[in-house]
Amino acid sequence: LCLSFSLSLSLSLSLIQVSADVYLSAVLSLEPSSDSLCLANELITFSVQHKKPWTDHKAGLLELFQKTVLASRSRVPEHILVCCSPLLRHVTHEEFTGVLQPAMERGLLRSPEILVSCLGIMLSGMSLDLSKYVMTLAKPIGAQLHSQDA
């Protein structure tokens, strides 16, 4: 279903010659949801494949990701996390330390059982070398991996 949607979206954007930039602006004006996040990532994929600019919306897209995934009060389905890989692949070290890492740390303090299940998929979708963040990420994650009743 996702592949079919992706192909249909790509074909539609190619036929009507409208920039994905217009659609990204529209998606960012919507209420944050997993649907708008997935649509935004499909638009990023289209933009990258057709060498169209999309990075003007990167801060808004990271905010959408933060609100939809990292600040979620319920478990985020795995397919939503997988569909976010186009955005996550383009995250820089500055964006990671400035936006994502603080949101991850807050999420791990607030609802660790929800965020721990997401982190593996989320971090594997990134193209960054995360070795310099191991100690800052390992402490809150490690605290959730042992039993407090022992």
Side-chain angles (χ1 to χ4, degrees):
L1 184 63
C2 288
L3 179 61
S4 157
F5 171 74
S6 180
L7 292 173
S8 297
L9 179 66
S10 182
L11 180 62
S12 298
L13 289 173
S14 298
L15 289 176
I16 59 177
Q17 298 296 317
V18 173
S19 172
D21 184 60
V22 173
Y23 288 107
L24 281 170
S25 296
V27 166
L28 289 174
S29 70
L30 299 172
E31 191 69 29
S33 70
S34 57
D35 295 331
S36 58
L37 184 62
C38 287
L39 178 58
N41 277 281
E42 288 300 324
L43 292 166
I44 291 170
T45 301
F46 176 84
S47 298
V48 168
Q49 287 173 347
H50 292 88
K51 297 176 179 40
K52 305 276 185 190
W54 66 274
T55 53
D56 294 344
H57 300 287
K58 199 172 187 185
L61 292 167
L62 287 172
E63 184 180 337
L64 175 63
F65 178 80
Q66 177 185 346
K67 288 178 181 177
T68 308
V69 175
L70 300 177
S72 177
R73 298 203 182 273
S74 60
R75 193 171 301 261
V76 178
E78 187 175 328
H79 70 278
I80 301 294
L81 298 168
V82 171
C83 92
C84 293
S85 62
L87 174 62
L88 295 174
R89 255 185 261 129
H90 293 90
V91 170
T92 64
H93 285 285
E94 294 78 25
E95 292 162 337
F96 183 79
T97 56
V99 178
L100 297 180
Q101 186 178 4
M104 280 190 267
E105 290 170 356
R106 282 191 307 273
L108 284 169
L109 290 173
R110 191 186 74 238
S111 52
E113 65 283 352
I114 293 170
L115 202 56
V116 166
S117 65
C118 301
L119 283 179
I121 298 167
M122 188 184 100
L123 295 175
S124 68
M126 295 182 155
S127 61
L128 287 179
D129 176 18
L130 297 171
S131 61
K132 64 180 169 181
Y133 308 110
V134 168
M135 292 309 293
T136 56
L137 290 176
K139 186 177 179 183
I141 294 171
Q144 301 306 316
L145 296 177
H146 75 288
S147 173
Q148 308 242 343
D149 296 331

